[in-house]
Every structure is written in C-alpha cells, then in structure tokens.
Amino acid sequence: MSPADEPSGLGVVRFVDALDPAAPPQGLPLPRRLGSLGRAILALVFAAATTLGAVGAVELWTMPTPGTWFSVLFTVFIAALVAAAWFAFATAFRRAQRERDASVRWLRELGSVTAEDGRIVDRFVNLGDDGDVAAFEVTVEIAGSAAVSAQWEPLAGLRKLLQPQLPGVGSRVLVWRAPGSPRLVVDVLDPTRVGD
C-alpha cells in the first residue's frame, strides 16, 4: 500500500494523558469529514454552479461583446472556476473515503497492534491565521527501525492548541502499529500538562 492510500501520510498523532503501552487506540483519531448527505448537497450545489457557468458561457457567445478575445477569455475563466471546484470536491471525497477505509482496517488489526517507544527527531508546525495550531507533523525515530511520520489535525469539538502544547524534538512517544501494516498512531503528551 502506498502512502497516498493512507490518511495524512502514514500516521496520525493522538494526544494522551499518559504514555500507556496497555491502552491501544480503539480507532484512528481522524478529523470528521462530510457525511453522505453533506456530499450530496455539495454535489448539487456544484451541479447548479456548473449549469450557471454553462449558461454564462453561452451568453458570452450570443450577446454583443468587445470582441472574440473577450468571449474566449471569460469562457476559459468560467470553465477554470468550475473545473477547480469539481477537482476540490473529488479530492476531498477521495480523502474521506481513504480515511474511512483506513479506520475499518485499523479496527480489524486492533488485536495485533503493539506499542514501541520512540523519540521525536523532527517537527513541522502549520499555524492558522489566529496563531492556533492548524496542523503539525512529527518524525519519530524508533530503535532498530526506520523513522516514521505522523500528522495531527484538529478533531471536531476539541480545544484549540497553541505551540507550547506541542511535543518538542527529543520528546518520548509511543508508536502503535500492527506488524506489516503501514498504518500507525503516535501517542504524544502535552508538555504543558506533564506533572498534573
């Protein structure tokens, strides 16, 4: 299985209160995506936008304009907008499907999942406009194994994170994975809560 088949690369990050090798994740901690009804409504909206774009393009070619260049320019512009909207919708749909499939496979593998100690050797943080953490990725080194990567994205209904709450380079983590599976969960601690 290639990394493109997995949500957010190969792994996801989970914040825990303690690094407990006896408490495997009961599911992949993935952000909530649009459900079937939401996707159907969005598809209808995009279909309506496509129809309006087609009507607009026909109007450009049937009404008087400053010249053919004007009709060509705005027809290409309308087509590019519609194509970009459909591309974004298809990409989001495929990602949500991959995440659902990965969650089902994780539950199937849960009986063989084991924890391995690791240390963060690299971290990349993506901040939102308000300064909160929008996402972050960690690279974890596991003794006797190749380094692995995992990403965190905010889950629905959870508090926002600030940079001091992220584990730093050198922090100890637990890496959960089933033998032979590319899927993994990295348990991390919020350094501002250590010692609570």
Side-chain angles (χ1 to χ4, degrees):
M1 182 170 298
S2 70
D5 295 330
E6 295 300 322
S8 308
L10 290 177
V12 289
V13 171
R14 175 178 82 144
F15 277 91
V16 293
D17 295 328
L19 297 178
D20 182 0
Q26 296 303 304
L28 293 179
L30 297 169
R32 189 165 187 267
R33 307 290 181 198
L34 278 179
S36 300
L37 179 61
R39 288 193 304 272
I41 290 171
L42 204 51
L44 286 174
V45 168
F46 286 158
T50 303
T51 303
L52 287 174
V55 169
V58 168
E59 286 286 321
L60 279 171
W61 290 96
T62 57
M63 61 184 237
T65 60
T68 304
W69 65 269
F70 184 88
S71 298
V72 169
L73 178 68
F74 280 95
T75 299
V76 168
F77 179 72
I78 289 169
L81 284 177
V82 170
W86 279 108
F87 178 77
F89 176 71
T91 300
F93 181 81
R94 281 193 304 270
R95 180 175 182 174
Q97 187 61 48
R98 283 194 308 265
E99 289 179 351
R100 280 191 295 277
D101 293 346
S103 291
V104 168
R105 287 192 303 268
W106 178 267
L107 291 174
R108 265 192 255 131
E109 297 165 348
L110 196 54
S112 60
V113 170
T114 58
E116 299 172 85
D117 282 320
R119 293 240 176 244
I120 296 176
V121 293
D122 195 15
R123 182 185 83 175
F124 175 77
V125 180
N126 185 5
L127 298 177
D129 293 336
D130 55 1
D132 290 333
V133 175
F136 73 92
E137 183 174 333
V138 293
T139 302
V140 176
E141 192 173 72
I142 303 168
S145 182
V148 295
S149 294
Q151 184 174 8
W152 176 89
E153 292 181 63
L155 301 176
L158 293 183
R159 62 184 168 78
K160 294 184 177 183
L161 289 178
L162 300 174
Q163 283 197 68
Q165 296 174 287
L166 303 184
V169 171
S171 298
R172 181 176 168 258
V173 299
L174 277 183
V175 178
W176 295 94
R177 60 182 170 180
S181 172
R183 285 168 296 285
L184 56 93
V185 175
V186 176
D187 281 354
V188 300
L189 299 173
D190 176 345
T192 64
R193 299 186 61 192
V194 172
D196 279 357

